[in-house]
Amino acid sequence: MNALTDRFPYLHEAKAPSGAEGWERMYPYFLVSQPDGRDFEQERFWFADSMHWSRAVHPFDSIGAEAVYYGCGVNGARSIVLPAALGLDVRMVNGFVYICPQAVSDPAEIQRRLALFQERAGHYYKNWDSLYANWKSKMTAAIDRMKSLQFASLPEIEPIEIVTEGQGRSVSWSLVENYHRLVDDFFLVWQYHFEMLGLGYGAYLVFFDLCKKAFPEIQDQTIARMVAGVEGMAFRPDDELRRLAKLAVELNVDPIINANDAADTVLASMAKQANGARWLAALEEVREPWFNYFAEYGFLHDQETWNENLSIPLHAISRYAELLRNGEVIDRPVEKLHEDRDEIVAEYRALLAPEEARAFDEALALSRNVFPYIEEHNIYVEHWSHAVFWRKIRELADVFVAAGFFRQAGDFYFLNRFEIDQALFDMVESWAIGVPARGVQHWAREIEARRKIMGALRTETAAPAYGTPPSEVTDPFAIMNYGVTTERVQQWLAQASGGNATALQGIAASPGVIEGIVRVIRHENEISELKPGEILVAAITAPSWASAFSVVAGVVTDIGGLMSHAAIVCREYGMPAVVSTGFATAQLKTGQRIRIDGYKGTVELLAA
């Protein structure tokens, strides 16, 4: 970062890592800063979406940035019509995804949009349960459509049925058609994703503002604890791991689930045991759908679901089994969480006058009613639909390799989605004519260059922000999901301008004060390196990391708000956490000793 006092560096001032020069050509032009748009861009504030893209993004994987922020914009700005916020603009910078909230500042326009919002939001709030049920049906249908798509290798000769049934179309056209269908449904599920999310955040923000006005000294996390659910689909995958750990101990087969062994080794050894077959049957029973669960967020092609890498859930089961053998309780304290939540509500409600109490009750009831969607929608979108999407994309990549177009399946991801469309047509047309595909040599050279660029980009972490900070952050997604508030932006700016390197300020996400040794995690494959009592430091944690919370003493993240997955999961598991520090993964190193304060939102580097 430059030594600036009133702004972050502009997008065009970002320096590419050595060896990554020319990275811009890998992405669609509209995702990259253009010279004629600099005035527009530098007047605005861009922050890193390292929650969803924690490392530099391959060209094809940028499809997620397109789909996410198209869906977010069309629903928030054009459908639900949020009064003070339009969409989130998006750019790629050195391979990372940056987003920019678009605020509505004209009071008259806010009032006009407010009338539209009240009518539309009111309809959703009044019919929430039925609309949510309908939402689940739409999502399931989209996932099923993606599952049904086939990507078969090109045959030497068309099947005889093409002639005898008078089909009149080549089987090769199904590759082109199904690619388009897959991409179309990917974009569609991201419109579904945001259909109700802004309303969920909106209901919480109403309750949040009510509490802040009635109780000026109340902590943000206390308000969140009054609303948060402690049951539901979001916790089901981890609950299944706990259940499998209990069954393994009960059947006395838990020693076989060795965290250091490969999954195939564990399963083969289990099959030889007398009670092993019963445990394996229980494992198979839950794999669909609960193991269609990414270790991170499912936005990068090289991220794996539990089903694709059984070592991930088996390692978690091993941890839970070890705790059980040591006489510890591994169940989530659901009853205690309910009691604490109800006690907090009763304590603050008793301070209100009758009319204020009625408004409090209504706002709380609405927030609790819509809250499950805030977590559960991720199961359907980021996990289930993304699992199918990437599986189908891998099938298509294999077709390219079988046709001799790419040398290896990984080459596919060095092209963006529009380039894949061109390459796909080149492949099927050349096959049809009987000539070599022109793209084989063209893309071989470019892929080799892009491979070097990606290697250089992935040596860096994302700068937290670019551009000119706003006087006030009003976007509900920026505030609730990312933890990007007016105060946090100013703190980031102070730190980027040479603030105290021995301390970080973030959002107090989950209560507690703890000291421990830092373990910086940049990839889900590194989770197994966590040791008891360490403090997990990451760009963001994923819900699937829940079992790691049985090992670590606390959590610190670069980004995330009170309603981010990291904050919610940490509160539910009683894990002290500070989120939205901006610089934790850049300034902290594995082995350092720190103190985190989950009440104040501070992270302090201690003497060795």
Side-chain angles (χ1 to χ4, degrees), residues 251 253 270-281:
L251 298 175
V253 296
M270 187 69 72
K272 298 175 183 178
Q273 299 297 311
N275 291 327
R278 180 180 166 189
W279 190 86
L280 289 173

Side-chain angles (χ1 to χ4, degrees), residues 225 230 331-344 572:
R225 290 171 68 191
V230 294
D331 294 324
R332 287 192 302 113
V334 174
E335 291 185 7
K336 179 66 165 57
L337 291 169
H338 273 298
E339 291 173 2
D340 290 347
R341 185 179 69 176
D342 294 343
E343 183 178 325
I344 293 170
E572 300 304 337

Side-chain angles (χ1 to χ4, degrees), residues 27-28 31 57-67 92 416-417:
Y27 305 102
L31 288 181
V57 176
H58 280 73
F60 185 81
D61 299 1
S62 67
I63 187 174
E66 298 178 54
M92 304 295 300
N416 64 51
R417 74 177 177 101

Side-chain angles (χ1 to χ4, degrees), residues 343-573:
E343 183 178 325
I344 293 170
V345 169
E347 175 186 347
Y348 282 96
R349 189 184 186 281
L351 301 175
L352 298 172
E355 185 174 336
E356 294 174 320
R358 282 192 294 272
F360 177 90
D361 290 343
E362 290 175 2
L364 177 59
L366 179 60
S367 292
R368 285 186 175 179
N369 191 43
V370 304
F371 184 83
Y373 179 85
I374 293 176
E375 273 299 284
E376 291 182 358
H377 76 280
N378 291 285
I379 295 288
Y380 284 91
V381 182
E382 280 96 326
H383 295 284
W384 291 351
S385 71
H386 279 210
V388 176
F389 176 77
W390 289 117
R391 185 162 64 247
K392 293 300 177 180
I393 287 297
R394 285 194 293 273
E395 292 175 11
L396 179 57
D398 289 340
V399 171
F400 274 96
V401 174
F405 196 96
F406 292 143
R407 296 172 183 171
Q408 55 192 23
D411 292 350
F412 180 101
Y413 306 100
F414 289 97
L415 279 64
N416 64 51
R417 74 177 177 101
F418 300 102
E419 294 168 338
I420 287 295
D421 207 8
Q422 295 177 48
L424 182 56
F425 187 79
D426 178 18
M427 181 176 69
V428 299
E429 184 187 46
S430 299
W431 167 84
I433 297 169
V435 297
R438 283 156 288 184
V440 173
Q441 295 303 319
H442 170 80
W443 285 116
R445 292 189 296 271
E446 182 63 16
I447 288 170
E448 187 60 29
R450 292 185 181 188
R451 182 174 282 108
K452 294 177 181 177
I453 290 173
M454 281 304 306
L457 291 177
R458 286 206 163 177
T459 64
E460 302 289 329
T461 57
Y466 288 97
T468 305
S471 58
E472 183 179 7
V473 177
T474 60
D475 186 90
F477 297 108
I479 295 169
M480 299 308 302
N481 203 32
Y482 297 100
V484 178
T485 64
T486 306
E487 180 184 21
R488 291 300 305 121
V489 172
Q490 291 303 314
Q491 290 168 345
W492 285 355
L493 188 60
Q495 289 173 272
S497 302
N500 187 358
T502 65
L504 292 168
Q505 178 68 50
I507 291 175
S510 186
V513 178
I514 197 73
E515 294 182 9
I517 300 300
V518 167
R519 174 71 62 176
V520 178
I521 298 295
R522 302 188 187 280
H523 192 282
E524 67 269 28
N525 291 341
E526 299 170 350
I527 296 174
S528 60
E529 299 174 7
L530 287 166
K531 295 179 174 58
E534 290 184 329
I535 294 178
L536 168 61
V537 176
I540 191 68
T541 66
S544 57
W545 296 13
S547 65
F549 297 163
S550 65
V551 176
V552 301
V555 174
V556 178
T557 68
D558 289 343
I559 200 165
L562 281 173
M563 286 299 156
S564 67
H565 301 110
I568 291 171
V569 173
C570 285
R571 285 194 297 269
E572 300 304 337
Y573 290 94

Side-chain angles (χ1 to χ4, degrees), residues 301-330:
H301 75 273
D302 54 358
Q303 293 173 341
E304 297 175 306
T305 64
W306 290 358
N307 266 331
E308 292 157 352
N309 185 356
L310 281 174
S311 293
I312 298 172
L314 287 174
H315 187 272
I317 293 169
S318 173
R319 277 181 171 162
Y320 283 137
E322 182 179 2
L323 292 173
L324 287 169
R325 288 195 299 270
N326 293 335
E328 299 187 38
V329 176
I330 66 170

